[in-house]
Amino acid sequence: MEVVRQVKVKEVSLETEKFKHILLEACQRGELSTHMTAKEMVQELAQQLKQVFKRNES
């Protein structure tokens, strides 16, 4: 039981790190792009997160 719990904690930690990485990337792109609107940035972020969630479901 404890081993399963440890594996789940590691999985959550990895997902959290991926999420943080995606957010930081989106923020940096937004800062570098003078033509990107907040709406476009959020749409791009949502698209990337959908890909992460699809991989997790597989």
Side-chain angles (χ1 to χ4, degrees), residues 1-57:
M1 183 82 168
E2 183 63 28
V3 173
V4 172
R5 183 171 169 257
Q6 289 175 351
V7 169
K8 288 190 183 264
V9 168
K10 285 183 182 180
E11 288 175 3
V12 169
S13 294
L14 287 173
E15 292 306 313
T16 301
E17 287 304 313
K18 286 179 190 176
F19 184 70
K20 287 189 329 189
H21 179 73
I22 290 171
L23 288 174
L24 288 171
E25 255 184 23
C27 191
Q28 289 170 348
R29 275 195 307 277
E31 289 174 354
L32 296 175
S33 175
T34 57
H35 304 291
M36 183 179 274
T37 65
K39 180 181 177 181
E40 291 168 333
M41 196 164 121
V42 170
Q43 287 173 335
E44 186 177 326
L45 177 59
Q47 189 63 31
Q48 288 183 21
L49 291 174
K50 282 180 189 176
Q51 293 172 3
V52 169
F53 291 131
K54 282 181 185 177
R55 281 187 293 221
N56 290 341
E57 291 175 356

